[in-house]
Amino acid sequence: ILNVEQSPQSLHVQEGDSTNFTCSFPSSNFYALHWYRWETAKSPEALFVMTLNGDEKKKGRISATLNTKEGYSYLYIKGSQPEDSATYLCALREYGNKLVFGAGTILRVKS
Amino acid sequence: KAGVTQTPRYLIKTRGQQVTLSCSPISGHRSVSWYQQTPGQGLQFLFEYFSETQRNKGNFPGRFSGRQFSNSRSEMNVSTLELGDSALYLCASSWGATGNSGANVLTFGAGSRLTVL
């Protein structure tokens, strides 16, 4: 059974702090790694999809990196804002197979 | 452009009943996936359909079934409901199918929240 692990499980930071989360996955048969943000009472929203080892993506203050050889991806948020509070999900797709989600990292940003 | 539409949004059923949930994908999207989310659990994969064919299936009992129609709309059915089936059921659509382009992002609907009493 494919296991995608996310750490930490939850994180509380002050407004302005920078933070990062980790997504770990088995590195064999890798095809794509997705990151989604899920705000309370809303639908999960796609942030990034990465397919190549060494990929780096950026959207505003949020960026992500991918290392398929060692099986991890990092998500960084620079200068966290209260509106960044959400659950951040990563998901792995192996070739020809389903998209498997991690349990998520809950981020709470205090103003 | 309309998003992914799920109906109903909320429903309450009793044990032993069955339920059908509907999902209309974004226009032009041919792939529909279903996920279950229960408290303390991540999104658990149920099924994925592309062009009316089930491409992948998760580890759920046979009481969970689904289908996709020629217009890409999808339904999932849960028969003989159990208390543990109480969950948020999310549908997501994407342009491509698994394996054809694993990079296709999912666009999620708002979900159907099922409560089984």
Side-chain angles (χ1 to χ4, degrees), chain A residues 28-55:
Chain A
S28 59
N29 210 25
F30 172 89
Y31 196 74
L33 191 287
H34 297 218
W35 280 101
Y36 292 84
R37 174 171 58 198
W38 194 356
E39 296 178 67
T40 304
K42 294 187 177 180
S43 308
E45 174 191 28
L47 287 173
F48 307 112
V49 178
M50 295 179 287
T51 57
L52 299 175
N53 184 44
D55 254 353

Side-chain angles (χ1 to χ4, degrees), chain B residues 81-98:
Chain B
L81 284 166
E82 300 178 358
L83 295 179
D85 297 333
S86 295
L88 178 68
Y89 291 88
L90 284 169
C91 161
S93 73
S94 64
W95 181 82
T98 306

Side-chain angles (χ1 to χ4, degrees), chain B residues 91-112:
Chain B
C91 161
S93 73
S94 64
W95 181 82
T98 306
N100 289 350
S101 177
N104 283 325
V105 294
L106 301 183
T107 301
F108 284 87
S112 293

